[in-house]
Amino acid sequence: MNDKEMLLLKLGEVVLKGQNRRSFEDRLVANTARRLKSCGSFQVYIRQSTIYVEPTGDNCDMEAAYAAARQVFGVVSVARAVPCEKTVEAIAETARSYLADQFAASKSFKVESKRADKSFPMNSIQVSQAVGGELAEAFPHVAVDVHNPDLTVFVEVREKYAYVHAPALPGAGGLPVGMGGHAVSLLSGGLDSPVSSWMMARRGVELEMVHFVSPPYTSRQAQDKVLELARLLTAYCGRLRVHIVPFTEIQEEIRKNCPEEYFTLIMRRFMMRLAEAIARRAGARALITGESLGQVASQTMMALGVTEDVTTLPVLRPLIGMDKVEIIHTAQRIGTYDTSILPYEDCCTVFTPRHPATRPHLEDVRKAEAKLDVEALVARSLEGEEWVWVKP
């Protein structure tokens, strides 16, 4: 029997799936195994709505694996655990040795048991009482408190072994990446687009990223900042392909030929056209943006309608009802905030109009845009496109 520390990953929404549940579970196991490869050699398998992660060698970094497992979408909690024989004595001895440090730091404890193996002769309450009695003798300075203990010892009696662990920590939740379709996300260097990308990946969407650059108005540091944001997202999404699309000529033509109040709207219409072209080539079924209703002039209801007029793909806007404080809190939680606030300008801020139109009429914008050779500008921009793989 393997008496090494291992991980128990509990599933979230996946358990609610009906006939498709097996495909969700298979994808989640594959995603977990792939994410943990850099942490060592592990056996990853699923039983009774729990993913078991067992080290198969001495080279495993359990701290890194524990952190990585908590970032896998589809997992709601992760516990470090030790397996043992299914006897009260073995369970109590394992808890005594494995959780010795926690007992030393606690004034009270309780045991909480689950019996997934219904053939086991004791029920959950009996297991908790028996193991709790043994531990109370082993740690006489730690009182039993079933209502508000400092330490809860968790015991799970499963098919092959019993497992002992301290409280689990929350996982990323959501659905396994790859089960929600494939979409292209418009990634800028701001706070919003990394958060919107993360939120859609959390719904199981496999992402590709599009970033627009306008040299010499935007710097290499601005592009590197965006690639770093993509790298930070790979902790949750796995590797990402980032399409780098030149946008200078388009912005200069807009500035030369169009009314200033429509600069941002026409610019965003071009972004949607380019993103849709890349999405269709990649087989993606939707676009993702970081727009939030009313946050800036180009994100009023009328402006959003003008922007998405040029695409037939669904435009997913997960931040649409969030305010800036909520977005900032999410960015801090997922680790993108510090990079997003670095002071490098992206192309969205290069030619910002002084008085942007907040209630634009679609026909007026189309008329203003008609002075441009839209197809030729889009084609030349796509010819200059490059892409890079960003890995965890």
Side-chain angles (χ1 to χ4, degrees):
M1 189 198 75
N2 178 10
D3 60 355
K4 291 180 180 176
E5 186 180 50
M6 55 173 295
L7 303 178
L8 298 177
L9 283 56
K10 298 301 172 72
L11 279 55
E13 285 181 65
V14 171
V15 301
L16 304 176
K17 301 299 175 186
Q19 294 178 331
N20 294 331
R21 177 170 169 174
R22 180 65 185 274
S23 60
F24 278 82
E25 290 181 343
D26 290 346
R27 178 60 67 102
L28 184 49
V29 168
N31 289 354
T32 303
R34 188 166 56 247
R35 205 68 57 79
L36 297 182
K37 259 186 182 173
S38 61
C39 306
S41 176
F42 295 91
Q43 183 183 9
V44 182
Y45 59 95
I46 191 165
R47 297 278 189 282
Q48 296 173 306
S49 301
T50 298
I51 292 177
Y52 296 73
V53 177
E54 297 180 357
T56 58
D58 296 327
N59 65 331
C60 296
D61 184 340
M62 292 302 292
E63 287 288 346
Y66 187 42
R70 293 184 60 208
Q71 294 178 308
V72 176
F73 288 129
V75 173
V76 292
S77 68
V78 182
R80 299 170 78 151
V82 170
C84 63
E85 298 295 342
K86 294 194 289 187
T87 65
V88 169
E89 294 75 22
I91 293 168
E93 174 56 28
T94 300
R96 188 191 65 76
S97 58
Y98 180 52
L99 301 177
D101 289 346
Q102 285 94 322
F103 271 102
S106 302
K107 293 180 179 177
S108 60
F109 84 99
K110 75 169 181 178
V111 177
E112 197 168 293
S113 303
K114 290 181 182 174
R115 184 185 59 151
D117 175 9
K118 299 306 179 187
S119 67
F120 190 72
M122 302 169 73
N123 64 29
S124 298
I125 293 173
Q126 290 169 330
V127 172
S128 294
Q129 288 174 336
V131 172
E134 297 262 349
L135 291 173
E137 286 187 24
F139 299 100
H141 68 286
V142 187
V144 175
D145 182 350
V146 297
H147 298 297
N148 190 28
D150 293 338
L151 171 65
T152 299
V153 177
F154 291 89
V155 176
E156 300 188 32
V157 182
R158 293 182 167 268
E159 291 172 308
K160 291 170 70 177
Y161 303 119
Y163 298 86
V164 175
H165 62 87
L169 288 180
L175 295 171
V177 170
M179 297 306 294
H182 185 187
V184 164
S185 185
L186 283 71
L187 184 64
S188 73
L191 283 160
D192 303 338
S193 57
V195 173
S196 64
S197 301
W198 179 86
M199 288 178 72
M200 292 315 304
R202 193 169 184 263
R203 300 312 304 155
V205 176
E206 185 179 352
L207 301 177
E208 293 203 31
M209 317 306 253
V210 174
H211 177 62
F212 300 96
V213 294
S214 294
Y217 306 107
T218 59
S219 65
R220 181 70 203 199
Q221 289 103 315
Q223 181 176 321
D224 290 343
K225 169 184 170 180
V226 168
L227 293 176
E228 174 61 12
L229 287 170
R231 190 193 66 77
L232 292 169
L233 290 171
T234 62
Y236 299 93
C237 310
R239 72 174 189 163
L240 290 169
R241 183 158 62 170
V242 182
H243 300 260
I244 310 292
V245 181
F247 207 62
T248 308
E249 183 188 10
I250 290 172
Q251 287 191 292
E252 289 179 338
E253 287 298 305
I254 293 171
R255 182 172 62 171
K256 274 193 283 187
N257 295 289
C258 302
E260 184 183 350
E261 66 195 275
Y262 296 143
F263 279 3
T264 304
L265 284 171
I266 295 174
M267 178 187 78
R268 292 194 67 78
R269 283 164 65 88
F270 272 96
M271 288 179 171
M272 299 300 262
R273 291 184 180 101
L274 291 162
E276 180 178 48
I278 290 167
R280 292 198 179 280
R281 196 173 62 212
R285 300 297 181 86
L287 304 179
I288 300 167
T289 75
E291 292 161 318
S292 170
L293 189 63
Q295 184 170 259
V296 293
S298 63
Q299 295 175 22
T300 64
M301 201 172 289
M302 290 178 73
L304 293 175
V306 167
T307 301
E308 70 177 38
D309 167 60
V310 297
T311 177
T312 56
L313 287 177
V315 181
L316 308 178
R317 298 182 173 98
L319 309 187
I320 197 69
M322 293 175 69
D323 64 30
K324 204 65 180 182
V325 172
E326 293 171 303
I327 295 167
I328 287 170
H329 285 164
T330 305
Q332 290 169 332
R333 182 159 62 91
I334 68 176
T336 57
Y337 177 81
D338 289 341
T339 301
S340 286
I341 63 172
L342 291 173
Y344 302 119
E345 299 283 302
D346 61 33
C347 68
C348 295
T349 54
V350 172
F351 301 127
T352 304
R354 285 163 296 182
H355 304 292
T358 57
R359 299 176 62 82
H361 293 285
L362 178 57
E363 288 309 318
D364 293 339
V365 178
R366 284 177 174 169
K367 195 166 153 186
E369 194 179 67
K371 296 174 184 173
L372 305 172
D373 188 342
V374 172
E375 285 188 16
L377 286 168
V378 167
R380 283 198 294 273
S381 186
L382 288 171
E383 282 171 15
E385 173 208 348
E386 299 174 356
W387 54 264
V388 293
W389 282 108
V390 180
K391 298 178 181 178

